Amino acid sequence: MRTTNEEIQVTSSQKANIGVTGLAVMGRNLARNLARHGYAVALHNRTHARTKALVEEFGDEGTFLPAETAEEFVASLERPRRVVVMVKAGAPTDAVIEEFAPLLEPGDVIVDGGNAHFLDTRRREAALRERGLHFVGTGISGGEEGALNGPSIMPGGSAESWESLGPLFESIAAKADDGTPCTTHIGPDGAGHFVKMVHNGIEYADMQLIAESYDLLRHAGGYEPAEMAEIFRTWNAGRLDSYLIEITADILAYRDPETGRPFVDVVLDQAEQKGTGRWTVQTALDLGAPVNGIAEAVFARSVSGHADLREPARTLPGPSRAPVDDRAAFAAKVEQALYASKIVAYAQGFDEIRAGSEEYGWDIDLGATAAIWRGGCIIRAKFLDRIRAAYEGDPATPTLLTTPDFSGALADAQDAWREVVATAVRLGIPVPGFSAALAYYDSLRAKRLPAALIQAQRDFFGAHTYRRVDKDGSYHTLWAEDPRSEVTA
């Protein structure tokens, strides 16, 4: 029987409902979020001064039970113990697990709230399961503000662990506009961290597409940042309503206090990355899931950071640039291209989640995944309600692109989308995100792809065989003898 919030919170004053170890910004804010919702929270950090500082500064927000040692921390927790680990992914996470696991008992739960690679989570979950412990790899999105005020929470792990953690997560998670908590049990072992990884990959693509829209408006449309801020605010009032569009408008409207220049003009044009986008692409290659839109966003960040390549290449020839004749009309076309490309990027991300779910036997609910991204996380947007509805209408849909809502939007965007990409090419404005999205769309709808020639080439130089359109089986042509000779492989 599932535990209720009320049952969890009725405990001895000497025992905490849940504990957080690792009190940097994310861990500290998550602990405060839990305390604000009425839970007694045990606190632990490798450096005890950080624990003391949290209690001194925020102790009036709820019940905190600070502990100086791991033993004191574990002893302060009610059974089944719930330990949330908020440290850096990799070796630090393994070190904390090895420190705490021997102190726990069968049925206790360890939650990894960091950005771990899902394969590490699968390994840890299997090892701790043998010791009778539940390990819950949990994606937490929303940054430090989300951790404090309500993130999107993506837990994996066993069904039993969700029974224990579900009420806590539901109370502290962000709430969608319809009041639904932005959390759900994603699936077994590494499913939660896998979904968080793909979420971040989609985030990369979304940000790249917005950045390309900015670049087009500025260098093809001739708009200044303050003018673009108003365009993005208008877009945010429509179907592109999202956190990323909202903050883009704010950024473009902001002026650097030191120079008085538009803030975007004083920021070095080199975008960094922490690795989850790269993992998304690497994993997609392993799964055979085409995510070229996400991949181009990752590569675009990589290109931006290569000053050694970019500096000498600035003298390479290119076309002359002149603003378009009707910039207002062009801005409307950019909005169409942005929305169409966004559909493609999200479709690719959800296709990868489906592929991962099938590969690892997770049975992930794609509609529920879209639903918990509607609030708290970085890619939160009203647009996700359409994705949720699409999968609820047909959970087996092969791609979001063919669902009635999205196929209609893509049909409406055709001319504008292609014109924007063509204009970018003509003016020498790089749009890898828009171009990749359009190429993917055209590849899916093509009656026949040039892959036939590629497979023939593979058979010619490597005897890799091929299949025919007119009969079953695999075949190889004896190219060194008589090309008309064909054998069944």
Side-chain angles (χ1 to χ4, degrees):
M1 182 176 179
R2 190 173 184 188
T3 311
T4 65
N5 286 328
E6 290 75 15
E7 290 170 332
I8 285 176
Q9 294 178 46
V10 178
T11 60
S12 165
S13 60
Q14 272 71 45
K15 294 293 183 181
N17 307 123
I18 191 167
V20 179
T21 180
L23 301 176
V25 175
M26 286 292 289
R28 179 188 65 192
N29 283 2
L30 193 68
R32 292 173 58 197
N33 189 351
L34 285 159
R36 287 176 173 186
H37 282 84
Y39 300 105
V41 184
L43 302 174
H44 174 266
N45 193 74
R46 184 173 57 85
T47 305
H48 187 59
R50 183 169 282 176
T51 306
K52 291 174 62 178
L54 191 158
V55 175
E56 289 172 2
E57 189 172 357
F58 304 109
D60 60 348
E61 292 185 342
T63 302
F64 295 110
L65 282 69
E68 191 163 358
T69 68
E71 290 78 7
E72 291 173 3
F73 175 76
V74 170
S76 71
L77 294 167
E78 66 179 8
R79 294 288 314 278
R81 302 179 183 92
R82 307 171 187 89
V83 176
V84 181
V85 178
M86 298 296 291
V87 300
K88 288 183 179 180
T93 299
D94 284 321
V96 171
I97 290 171
E98 285 309 308
E99 179 182 11
F100 282 92
L103 305 175
L104 301 175
E105 299 176 78
D108 289 347
V109 182
I110 298 177
V111 178
D112 176 13
N115 267 336
H117 194 286
F118 77 96
L119 292 179
D120 286 339
T121 302
R122 283 172 59 82
R123 167 179 59 80
R124 291 164 181 149
E125 192 277 336
L128 290 172
R129 191 184 339 124
E130 290 185 357
R131 300 165 74 163
L133 301 176
H134 297 285
F135 185 72
V136 182
T138 302
I140 299 175
S141 180
E144 57 185 271
E145 180 183 347
L148 180 62
N149 298 316
S152 175
I153 308 176
M154 296 156 258
S158 65
E160 292 85 354
S161 64
W162 173 247
E163 291 294 314
S164 175
L165 293 167
L168 288 87
F169 285 170
E170 288 174 350
S171 65
I172 68 169
K175 305 300 184 291
D177 288 344
D178 61 5
T180 305
C182 292
T183 185
T184 189
H185 182 224
I186 300 295
D189 56 75
H193 274 146
F194 183 92
V195 164
K196 174 58 163 56
M197 175 191 74
V198 177
H199 164 283
N200 285 20
I202 294 172
E203 178 185 310
Y204 274 54
D206 208 342
M207 293 172 71
Q208 176 64 26
L209 294 170
I210 292 170
E212 290 178 17
S213 299
Y214 150 78
D215 211 22
L216 286 162
L217 290 173
R218 189 158 203 187
H219 295 115
Y223 286 97
E224 291 299 318
E227 295 176 296
M228 286 184 281
E230 293 307 313
I231 291 173
F232 277 94
R233 287 196 179 103
T234 300
W235 289 355
N236 198 50
R239 60 185 179 176
L240 286 171
D241 179 355
S242 67
Y243 172 71
L244 286 172
I245 294 289
E246 177 186 352
I247 67 171
T248 298
D250 291 342
I251 291 167
L252 292 173
Y254 183 63
R255 287 191 170 272
D256 175 46
E258 291 187 27
T259 64
R261 297 169 60 194
F263 180 72
V264 71
D265 288 347
V266 302
V267 177
L268 186 65
D269 60 338
Q270 295 180 9
E272 299 176 359
Q273 52 184 307
K274 291 189 175 179
T276 45
R278 183 168 63 250
W279 292 348
T280 304
V281 177
Q282 291 169 336
T283 302
L285 290 171
D286 292 337
L287 294 170
V291 295
N292 64 319
I294 296 172
E296 287 297 343
V298 174
F299 285 128
R301 291 198 188 187
S302 181
V303 169
S304 77
H306 274 282
D308 57 328
L309 295 177
R310 294 174 60 200
E311 185 58 37
R314 294 185 198 278
T315 59
L316 291 174
S320 59
R321 290 184 179 180
V324 296
D325 293 333
D326 187 339
R327 65 180 198 160
F330 181 71
K333 292 172 184 176
V334 171
E335 190 273 347
Q336 289 270 33
L338 174 57
Y339 188 67
S341 299
K342 182 184 178 82
I343 292 171
V344 171
Y346 279 67
Q348 290 180 355
F350 276 91
D351 289 348
E352 181 170 357
I353 293 174
R354 186 198 302 277
S357 180
E358 293 173 353
E359 174 70 18
Y360 297 107
W362 288 329
D363 194 27
I364 296 174
D365 185 329
L366 299 181
T369 300
I372 68 169
W373 289 349
R374 293 177 298 165
C377 67
I378 304 302
I379 64 172
R380 59 185 181 265
K382 287 188 176 180
F383 167 81
L384 284 154
D385 240 336
R386 296 183 173 186
I387 296 178
R388 176 196 57 77
Y391 281 119
E392 286 183 354
D394 181 9
T397 186
T399 172
L400 286 170
L401 306 188
T402 60
T403 59
D405 186 4
F406 293 124
S407 63
L410 291 167
D412 293 340
Q414 285 300 300
D415 292 343
W417 194 8
R418 296 177 191 280
E419 184 177 333
V420 166
V421 172
T423 299
V425 172
R426 178 173 57 83
L427 297 179
I429 300 172
V431 286
F434 282 177
S435 299
L438 183 56
Y440 177 82
Y441 174 83
D442 283 338
S443 294
L444 290 191
R445 69 174 195 83
K447 295 289 190 294
R448 188 165 167 81
L449 291 169
L453 177 58
I454 294 172
Q455 194 61 21
Q457 291 170 332
R458 296 182 73 245
D459 186 65
F460 190 107
F461 65 68
H464 292 293
T465 76
Y466 54 87
R467 288 172 293 163
R468 297 178 59 98
V469 299
D470 53 358
K471 52 187 176 182
D472 293 334
S474 295
Y475 298 88
H476 169 55
T477 291
L478 303 176
W479 297 97
E481 300 175 13
D482 182 349
R484 292 171 295 178
S485 301
E486 187 177 66
V487 295
T488 303

